[in-house]
Amino acid sequence: MPAPRPNDDAVPPVPVLHVLTVPLAELGVPTAPDLRELLAGSGLLAWTVDGQGLVGHGRAAGHTVRGPDRFTAARVWWDDLAAAAVVEDRVGVPGSGLAAFGAFSFAAESGADSGLVVPELVVGRRDDDAWASLAVAAAPGAPFTLSAEDVVAAWVHHHGAAPGAAVAAAPAAAPGPVHLSPGALDEAAWTQAVREGVELIRAGGLEKLVLARDVLARTAGPLDPVAVVRDLAHRYERCWTYCVDLGSGAGRLLGATPEMLVRVLDGTARARVLAGTLDRDAVPAGEDPQRFAARVLGESEKQQHEHGFAIDSLTASLAPYTEVVTSSPEPFILELPNVWHLASDVTAVLRPGPAGDPPSSLELAEAVHPTAAVCGTPTAAAAALIPELERMDRGLYAGPVGWLDAAGNGDWGIALRGAVQQDEHTVRLFAGCGIVGASDPEAELAETWAKLRPMLQALGLGADPAGAAPGAGAAAPRRPGR
Ligand SMILES: C=C(O[C@H]1C=CC=C(C(=O)O)[C@@H]1O)C(=O)O
């Protein structure tokens, strides 16, 4: 559905893009590659899961937005860009043709830019389909001259090798020591904030609240984001690994999220809802790990309660857009290298809007954000309390991150288990926990460390930052015993 337009003076003019998508077979690459091998080079944009997805390089166009209308403003820009673009798509699958990466702030009031960026070169893979798309700005009315040779030239430029040839592997992510320090709140202050949250819930003001904290990592040597992204994509292959730099100086968002906010493919929406977490390091000696997870997560009333809020908030916000919504009858246990989660997959057949088109992935991402997995229940009460208790601007953490195409398809994950790289030596890591009346603040603090683990490992800090890595030289904030 086209985005409602504000008055035309407020809409910036868009560039005219020429876009050519060719199958990789046309470039001499007969079998679909594992996209993780293409995570290299400067100006990387990525959205991959299990070797599939989209990997972008360079920048053909981009638009940043802020405030409560940030999604609508981005959609208007995208609709205009797509209408003006001249596209030759020889593949015709979701993600081919004109495609953009995007990231949106958690809060409407955030000082961080949100937006969309169209890479110059995108290499995509969906099952056995693999393609490359080249996008370049052209003068209005200019003839379309892009050819497969132009795509190869862009590939060589960005990858330093021809299509099909091996790309140089990245060196270690963070050479030299990494120093960790508390962000907005230290551990004691954050635990106190959780305590206050629990009291408010018990007093009946709200039912669930998600509280997060940030940790700053300073690296002695320059941090290579490509090595971080590669590490995450290989280690967390069941998660969606993301890397988005909107180019506005706000930093590079990277991480590997297990949570799919909404995916739209050919008129069907899907989501993976998570809530309920168990640290895989917490298995008592002699216990069978799977049975332990099934008992502690699957049979815990507190965890099921927390999970139920997340499912209800998603299905309620999808309802106006859907014909039928189905979800897993019982949550299942999702096993990740660092934690187990209670998870439910939701599928919804989308209802066409008044103009006959089903809602786009970005329209749905706006409709369902923020879910109770990152905000709370009721949403408005939780959203108002979060900055007050966390004492920070979440920026892009816990906001939608992903990609979209001109047909409305796209994947929007929730930017979790990640960080914002602020400069060559500084990354700001985030993790949060769903709090209910039965939550124990110390246990929630320990859970944030388990959720920070993917990024800490990618920085070379090992699983336990407090005892970490003589080689990594970590200086970490105190980690509670469990
Ligand atoms: C808020 C985060 O996780 C959410 C997603 C899955 C499980 C969660 C939990 O069990 O608390 C959180 O709701 C985070 O990783 O920062």
Side-chain angles (χ1 to χ4, degrees):
M1 210 187 297
R5 299 181 71 83
N7 86 51
D8 267 359
D9 295 347
V11 179
V14 293
V16 174
L17 294 184
H18 285 187
V19 183
L20 173 65
T21 295
V22 292
L24 287 197
E26 239 180 78
L27 305 182
V29 184
T31 46
D34 183 325
L35 288 190
R36 289 173 289 193
E37 299 314 314
L38 296 176
L39 297 172
S42 60
L44 176 72
L45 294 144
W47 178 262
T48 69
V49 58
D50 201 15
Q52 303 197 32
L54 300 179
V55 172
H57 282 90
R59 180 187 172 90
H63 185 54
T64 53
V65 287
R66 282 192 187 189
D69 297 331
R70 62 201 182 290
F71 290 98
T72 308
R75 282 170 52 210
V76 167
W77 181 81
W78 180 247
D79 290 348
D80 287 355
L81 191 79
V86 183
V87 180
E88 183 181 330
D89 183 353
R90 300 183 193 160
V91 178
V93 296
S96 67
L98 179 66
F101 290 79
F104 289 83
S105 63
F106 171 81
E109 309 73 31
S110 174
D113 281 332
S114 302
L116 298 173
V117 54
V118 180
E120 184 189 26
L121 178 72
V122 173
V123 182
R125 175 171 172 193
R126 172 172 304 281
D127 301 323
D128 292 335
D129 285 312
W131 66 93
S133 301
L134 176 64
V136 295
F144 186 95
T145 59
L146 293 179
S147 66
E149 287 70 39
D150 296 320
V151 181
V152 171
W155 186 305
V156 171
H157 173 73
H158 289 294
H159 290 285
V167 169
V178 179
H179 184 272
L180 296 183
S181 59
L185 296 179
D186 64 16
E187 293 192 344
W190 189 79
T191 312
Q192 179 55 28
V194 173
R195 213 165 277 125
E196 285 169 33
V198 169
E199 276 163 22
L200 287 167
I201 293 167
R202 288 182 184 161
L206 70 171
E207 292 175 287
K208 175 180 173 178
L209 180 63
V210 180
L211 290 177
R213 67 191 187 96
D214 60 333
V215 172
L216 290 171
R218 287 274 310 163
T219 65
L223 177 76
D224 181 359
V226 168
V228 172
V229 171
R230 272 197 171 215
D231 184 279
L232 293 170
H234 283 280
R235 215 190 283 262
Y236 288 83
E237 58 185 2
R238 298 183 72 180
C239 296
W240 290 271
T241 296
Y242 54 90
C243 177
V244 176
D245 186 347
L246 298 173
S248 65
R252 180 182 287 110
L253 178 70
L254 35 80
T257 183
E259 184 141 9
M260 175 60 76
L261 179 66
V262 68
R263 144 177 286 192
V264 173
L265 294 179
D266 299 327
T268 299
R270 292 189 173 76
R272 171 160 291 172
V273 181
L274 306 178
T277 304
L278 181 60
D279 185 351
R280 290 193 56 186
D281 281 359
V283 185
E287 275 256 22
D288 174 73
Q290 313 305 331
R291 266 195 232 138
F292 179 68
R295 192 179 73 245
V296 177
L297 275 183
E299 294 169 21
S300 154
E301 210 174 297
K302 178 227 167 215
Q303 302 276 8
Q304 296 278 355
H305 187 55
E306 196 181 318
H307 191 77
F309 287 125
I311 294 278
D312 292 349
S313 84
L314 180 88
T315 47
S317 47
L318 272 181
Y321 301 88
T322 51
E323 304 278 7
V324 191
V325 184
T326 48
S327 71
S328 344
E330 289 287 321
F332 62 93
I333 292 176
L334 177 70
E335 181 173 320
L336 300 175
N338 57 332
V339 292
W340 288 284
H341 281 302
L342 269 188
S344 296
D345 286 338
V346 174
T347 304
V349 178
L350 296 172
R351 184 185 301 150
D357 299 334
S360 74
S361 63
L362 189 52
E363 187 176 353
L364 284 185
E366 174 177 12
V368 300
H369 171 78
T371 68
V374 288
C375 184
T377 307
T379 309
L385 268 174
I386 284 171
E388 215 176 283
L389 290 173
E390 291 179 350
R391 309 231 159 239
M392 66 173 178
D393 178 347
R394 287 185 173 188
L396 298 175
Y397 160 73
V401 58
W403 65 270
L404 81 168
D405 69 15
N409 301 303
D411 283 355
W412 295 95
I414 304 183
L416 302 174
R417 318 299 150 83
V420 173
Q421 182 182 10
Q422 295 174 328
D423 59 42
E424 265 206 324
H425 295 270
T426 317
V427 251
R428 194 172 161 212
L429 284 59
F430 296 86
C433 300
I435 311 294
V436 290
S439 294
D440 164 15
E442 287 291 332
E444 302 300 341
L445 179 64
E447 189 174 306
T448 61
W449 279 113
K451 288 171 171 167
L452 290 167
R453 203 174 292 148
M455 277 304 301
L456 293 169
Q457 284 173 324
L459 293 173
L461 283 177
D464 181 346
R478 182 185 66 84
R479 187 185 192 210
R482 274 177 271 156

